[in-house]
Amino acid sequence: EVTIPEGYECEDIFRLLEADGVCSYQDLADTAASYEFAYDFLQEIPYGSENRLEGYLFPDTYQFFENDTVESILDRFLNNFENKLTDEMRDDIAKSGYTTDQIITLASIIQAEAANTDDMYMISAILRNRLENGAEHDIHTLDCDSTVYYPYKTANDAPEGFVSSYSTYDNSGLPAGPICNPGLEAIKAAIYPSEEGSEYYFFCHDSDGTPYYASTMDEHLMNMAEAGLL
């Protein structure tokens, strides 16, 4: 029995499964990169990267058996993801103007950035505002710290001079794909952003995780000062 925490990256999951004696990291990475899984949500995602399944290995508690194939191990995660996405959620994604992969990408950033469940829905609204109306407020990128070094976790983990193609400081719009594997609440937040957050374009947190939201840069700077970030 293995419990996968929400927000784990594929690499984290593969290393945990290896540590628990389920399967080797390399076999999992190789299969994730190259195996043709029969799920519609994967059809547009290119082969070749061990991060190909990022966002779709649903965090949960799983039971694995001796001599499970690598394909069946990964399929357990993907099948769980497909079952968690209800018909209503799929319909609402289709109405949202975003693809499923874009929603899961958004959910992965929400998972990485939010302090708690309520914060997820507020951050979802803020990120949607930036994507859809940001240019009107001179906001042209999402500017999320969680994307800056992906697939590395910090600057110390990344090679010298590394610039991530996922960085939402250096690139406009959403990253090329998810940056972690979000849980169900983060996915729901991505689909159903808080109406309360419809006027906000900025957020930050203090060291205790208390969130601050702002409509303007001036308000945001005051919030950052109050949060001890300046």
Side-chain angles (χ1 to χ4, degrees):
E1 187 173 283
V2 181
T3 297
I4 308 299
E6 295 175 351
Y8 259 34
E9 296 178 15
C10 284
E11 178 182 359
D12 301 321
I13 294 174
F14 298 162
R15 294 203 183 284
L16 179 59
L17 292 175
E18 181 177 68
D20 284 358
V22 176
C23 190
S24 79
Y25 174 95
Q26 198 59 54
D27 286 346
L28 289 162
D30 290 346
T31 303
S34 61
Y35 188 77
E36 186 176 353
F37 293 97
Y39 293 97
D40 289 342
F41 54 81
L42 294 178
Q43 296 314 302
E44 302 302 318
I45 301 175
Y47 293 89
S49 168
E50 65 184 56
N51 301 321
R52 172 173 159 253
L53 303 183
E54 195 80 272
Y56 299 98
L57 300 185
F58 193 82
D60 208 340
T61 297
Y62 295 87
Q63 289 187 329
F64 300 102
F65 303 93
E66 287 186 16
N67 302 318
D68 266 351
T69 65
V70 186
E71 293 82 6
S72 71
I73 290 167
L74 292 173
D75 188 72
R76 197 89 51 83
F77 289 94
L78 299 171
N79 185 62
N80 194 13
F81 172 88
E82 180 159 77
N83 291 336
K84 288 294 191 294
L85 222 58
T86 65
D87 289 341
E88 181 180 4
M89 291 167 70
R90 293 173 195 274
D91 288 344
D92 289 334
I93 290 172
K95 295 172 186 174
S96 73
Y98 293 85
T99 66
T100 298
D101 195 55
Q102 287 172 329
I103 286 292
I104 300 305
T105 299
L106 189 58
S108 72
I109 297 174
I110 292 166
Q111 182 75 63
E113 296 279 343
N116 53 51
T117 300
D118 289 342
D119 195 31
M120 288 182 177
Y121 290 85
M122 292 292 287
I123 289 177
S124 177
I126 291 168
L127 296 182
R128 289 267 202 123
N129 290 342
R130 289 187 174 190
L131 288 168
E132 296 166 14
N133 309 303
E136 299 172 16
H137 299 264
D138 200 28
I139 303 168
H140 301 280
T141 53
L142 287 179
D143 290 2
C144 292
D145 293 351
S146 57
T147 65
V148 172
Y149 298 108
Y150 182 84
Y152 303 99
K153 290 182 171 53
T154 68
N156 291 334
D157 299 321
E160 186 176 352
F162 174 77
V163 177
S164 175
S165 61
Y166 285 70
S167 173
T168 54
Y169 283 92
D170 298 315
N171 302 284
S172 61
L174 286 165
I179 60 166
C180 69
N181 293 280
L184 187 59
E185 282 299 332
I187 295 172
K188 287 181 177 178
I191 303 171
Y192 308 110
S194 170
E195 292 183 8
E196 186 183 346
S198 62
E199 300 300 318
Y200 294 128
Y201 287 82
F202 303 90
F203 69 92
C204 63
H205 303 89
D206 66 17
S207 59
D208 295 324
T210 302
Y212 296 78
Y213 311 114
S215 299
T216 67
M217 176 58 79
D218 286 344
E219 291 174 359
H220 180 53
L221 290 173
M222 287 190 290
N223 284 344
M224 290 183 71
E226 185 175 342
L229 301 173
L230 290 178

